Every structure is written in C-alpha cells, then in structure tokens.
Amino acid sequence: MTPLVEYLVSKFLGQEAAQSFRRRRFMRGATEKYKDDAAWARDMITMHMELCEMSQREGYLRQEARELQERAANSAEGLTTSQQSQLEKWLGEIEQLARQYWIREREFYRREVSAPSGPVLRGYLSWRENPRWYMLSKTLTRDCAGRGGCCGRACGCCDKDRMAGRKVRKGHCTVECGCCRRVWGFEMSYEDKTRYKKLYDVHMKENEAYVNRLKMAYIFGK
Ligand SMILES: [Zn+2]
Ligand SMILES: [Zn+2]
Ligand SMILES: [Zn+2]
C-alpha cells in the first residue's frame, strides 16, 4: 500500500516528484531495510538485458537469413552449398533462440511479480507506465553510447521496434545488436563476448557504483 505522504506528493506535486521521493526513501534505507529490493532490482536489470540480447541476436540472424535468400533469389545459381548450410545453421539457431526467449520471458515475469512491496516496486511500476522509459533516461542512453551502442550514432535503433510483430522487450544495444556489429566490422568470438559481459557484470564488486547508477535509472528513471 502506498504510504500517505508518498500518495500526497504524487497527487499534488506529480509523478516526477513522487519518483524522487521514492528514490530518497530507498537510498536512505538501502543498506539493510531494502536489501531484498536491491537484489530484486539487480535481477531485473540482468534479466532485461538477457532478453534484449536474445531478441537482438534473433533479429540479426533473421535479417542475415532474409538478405541471403534475397541475394540467392536474384542470382541465376541460387544458393551455393556453403550458403545453404549457413542458412540452415541460422534457421536452427533462430528456432532455439525463440524457445529460450519464451522461457526467459516467463521467468522474468515471475521475478517481476515477486518484487518486495516498497518504494522500489512502486517506483518501478510508475516508471514502466511509459513504454519508452529506457529512452527517457539520460543515464541509460549515455551508457548505451558509452558501450559503443546505437545511441552514440544517428541510426536510432534503440527507439525502433527491432523485431516487428513480436512481443519483445525493447531496450538498448547489447553485444548482439546487428547494427552495432555491422559498424564494428567484425564478428565477436565467444571469448570476446564473455570478456565484454564480465566488464559490465552487475554482480562484480568493482562495478558497484556503476550498478547503483543503473539501478536508479532502471527503477526511478534518473
Ligand atoms: Zn546497436
Ligand atoms: Zn543502430
Ligand atoms: Zn541505445
């Protein structure tokens, strides 16, 4: 239940003031009282990023497969043997990703609805009322650009429906963004990806200040 003061702030001063009020309450008690909320917020960030990663990978493969098929349709020879085997590999991975995404999305929902009630949950729900929440946070758009993502360029990918026609959690670029990959000009190896992910791991002690900023941006919108 919303505490009376928070309700009054929201009613008379608006949503932004209410978010600021919740954020201050959370920060004051962040160490002990809201320990579970902080863990929940960290899980939300991790799972959201994983969903974005899977959907961006699937979107990238679908586009590559489509382009390959179009090129083959326009050439007299059609697909070569190696192109045919590449296409089959991509289609197999697409199916596997769709299945993984389906499961992960349900796990995400279960974790989302098991949030401890408090300022974090109220802040999160209020912030999610705007479907473009992640684009409205300067911290998150700057983070995307800083990691070499599309927010640092004029393509505007993060604000687009990356996979039209499917319910996909929208968000900023991950290591699997197809547009970023084309800009970088190389295919990341498994080791490259592991190293990149470790750099921004939300569970690492060295990343504590960074993760705290992300938490505020994901939950309260700053
Ligand atoms: Zn990108
Ligand atoms: Zn882009
Ligand atoms: Zn972005």
Side-chain angles (χ1 to χ4, degrees):
M1 202 178 120
T2 307
L4 181 64
V5 186
E6 192 179 307
Y7 168 74
L8 292 173
V9 171
S10 157
K11 188 169 164 61
F12 294 108
L13 299 176
Q15 266 317 304
E16 205 168 312
Q19 282 296 73
S20 185
F21 180 80
R22 291 175 191 123
R23 191 170 59 247
R24 280 200 303 276
R25 279 197 68 196
F26 170 66
M27 283 165 82
R28 270 203 305 271
T31 47
E32 263 315 304
K33 191 172 172 201
Y34 298 125
K35 204 166 70 228
D36 292 345
D37 302 57
W40 177 81
R42 207 171 45 225
D43 286 353
M44 285 292 98
I45 295 173
T46 311
M47 292 173 102
H48 178 262
M49 281 181 179
E50 283 170 0
L51 284 169
C52 287
E53 206 176 289
M54 282 181 218
S55 63
Q56 286 171 21
R57 173 78 184 159
E58 194 185 335
Y60 169 72
L61 291 180
R62 280 186 189 277
Q63 193 177 344
E64 291 288 298
R66 202 167 40 241
E67 284 172 8
L68 181 59
Q69 282 167 319
E70 278 168 11
R71 278 202 305 277
N74 292 327
S75 87
E77 294 85 36
L79 287 173
T80 63
T81 317
S82 74
Q83 284 173 329
Q84 181 64 41
S85 95
Q86 176 68 79
L87 186 63
E88 279 165 19
K89 211 172 133 210
W90 282 340
L91 296 178
E93 192 181 337
I94 289 170
E95 193 186 324
Q96 200 185 3
L97 280 164
R99 187 172 292 125
Q100 282 171 356
Y101 187 91
W102 190 92
I103 297 167
R104 204 66 179 136
E105 194 178 41
R106 274 136 196 90
E107 287 170 351
F108 179 90
Y109 172 72
R110 194 190 61 172
R111 188 68 179 120
E112 192 176 38
V113 292
S114 47
S117 60
V120 166
L121 178 61
R122 292 193 296 277
Y124 177 84
L125 293 177
S126 164
W127 190 214
R128 290 302 178 280
E129 277 173 19
N130 191 327
R132 291 184 68 247
W133 60 271
Y134 64 95
M135 288 305 293
L136 301 176
S137 160
K138 277 207 175 73
T139 304
L140 296 181
T141 51
R142 264 201 301 260
D143 182 57
C144 176
R147 291 181 188 215
C150 291
C151 282
R153 296 183 290 274
C155 52
C157 292
C158 299
D159 212 9
K160 289 181 200 157
D161 200 351
R162 294 182 194 245
M163 277 184 58
R166 291 197 53 197
K167 191 183 168 226
V168 169
R169 284 184 201 279
K170 291 167 79 179
H172 290 288
C173 299
T174 69
V175 73
E176 299 296 353
C177 169
C179 179
C180 289
R181 183 174 293 226
R182 287 182 193 106
V183 171
W184 298 337
F186 63 92
E187 187 84 14
M188 270 188 143
S189 66
Y190 177 77
E191 288 73 28
D192 291 336
K193 287 181 189 175
T194 310
R195 207 166 144 210
Y196 174 93
K197 285 185 201 168
K198 208 166 173 195
L199 208 59
Y200 299 104
D201 188 340
V202 299
H203 297 96
M204 267 171 73
K205 187 84 188 137
E206 295 91 319
N207 287 340
E208 202 173 309
Y210 168 68
V211 174
N212 281 340
R213 268 197 289 281
L214 279 192
K215 263 192 245 168
M216 292 301 147
Y218 263 82
I219 307 296
F220 302 106
K222 280 284 167 184

